[in-house]
Amino acid sequence: VDGNIEYVNPKFTKVSHYTSEDVIGKNPRVLKSGIMPNQVYKNLWETITKGEVWRGELCNRNKDGKLIWEDCVINPILDEQGNITNYLAIKEDVTEKHFLQEQLKESENKLKDVFGAMTDVVVELDREGRYVFIAPTATDLLFIPSDKLLGMTLHEIFPKEQADVYLSYIYECLDTYKIITKEYALE
């Protein structure tokens, strides 16, 4: 109940590079990376000491100092009287997934910087024709501020017939995986 480690499975040793002898009897704090805000740990302990299940993502360090991202579920174990006797932590290593998400976010930001510097009108629309990215030049052309455009659909901006034509271009690109160039006048 003090949070000290009593057991680790073989997967723990494989991911963390700690042996069971390294960590049995120690607090999981030995894994702490220093990256997570203290509020996360405070919330975690407040939740589990009330007898509730905590779910979240933690960033720890393995024995070699490498960051490990883990999707965690920590469940209090209760005796017959309802008293907490132990905590069971089930963790999934999501380091690769986290790394890929960070790379994707970085690529998207670079792409948005490039689009933002272009003089052409560049917008990103989802399958429903909703604006999810708008380059500054597009807001200048449409005379609608980008904060108002974001989340709007083509049908909210253009007449139905015109919006349907623009949507057909989107579907054509998605269906053929080809870049399609169309020129049209904004009315």
Side-chain angles (χ1 to χ4, degrees):
V1 293
D2 295 328
N4 295 326
I5 299 170
E6 293 180 349
Y7 169 80
V8 294
N9 68 0
K11 184 69 173 181
F12 171 88
T13 58
K14 184 178 179 183
V15 171
S16 72
H17 300 176
Y18 284 100
T19 65
S20 57
E21 293 80 20
D22 288 335
V23 294
I24 299 293
K26 295 191 175 150
N27 191 284
R29 203 174 292 125
V30 298
L31 302 168
K32 199 172 177 180
S33 67
I35 289 178
M36 302 299 297
N38 286 333
Q39 186 60 37
V40 171
Y41 299 106
K42 184 177 182 214
N43 175 267
L44 183 158
W45 279 102
E46 286 174 356
T47 302
I48 64 174
T49 56
K50 288 191 290 187
E52 299 173 4
V53 176
W54 182 86
R55 289 178 174 83
E57 193 171 86
L58 294 175
C59 182
N60 288 318
R61 286 195 188 277
N62 71 12
K63 190 173 183 176
D64 305 326
K66 181 183 170 203
L67 293 179
I68 307 166
W69 287 91
E70 299 172 308
D71 190 26
C72 307
V73 176
I74 302 176
N75 193 15
I77 307 297
L78 308 176
D79 63 16
E80 292 88 26
Q81 292 78 38
N83 299 315
I84 298 171
T85 61
N86 297 80
Y87 298 105
L88 175 64
I90 301 170
K91 301 177 177 184
E92 178 185 2
D93 182 3
V94 293
T95 305
E96 185 67 21
K97 177 182 164 188
H98 195 272
F99 175 72
L100 291 173
Q101 286 173 331
E102 289 298 314
Q103 280 188 317
L104 180 60
K105 194 181 302 179
E106 191 176 306
S107 290
E108 286 174 348
N109 288 338
K110 285 179 183 175
L111 192 57
K112 287 179 181 178
D113 287 345
V114 169
F115 286 156
M118 293 175 68
T119 56
D120 293 335
V121 174
V122 178
V123 297
E124 180 183 352
L125 303 158
D126 65 14
R127 192 171 250 301
E128 286 74 41
R130 187 175 323 281
Y131 287 89
V132 293
F133 170 77
I134 299 131
T137 51
T139 59
D140 294 344
L141 185 66
L142 295 172
F143 304 107
I144 302 173
S146 61
D147 60 333
K148 295 220 187 304
L149 269 176
L150 281 174
M152 291 180 76
T153 65
L154 290 168
H155 285 95
E156 293 173 299
I157 299 168
F158 301 105
K160 181 183 178 346
E161 300 77 28
Q162 195 174 4
D164 287 344
V165 168
Y166 299 157
L167 269 176
S168 73
Y169 300 157
I170 293 170
Y171 296 145
E172 187 178 346
C173 288
L174 292 172
D175 293 340
T176 63
Y177 298 99
K178 293 181 182 173
I179 296 173
I180 299 167
T181 303
K182 303 284 184 182
E183 289 187 24
Y184 50 86
L186 292 174
E187 299 169 12

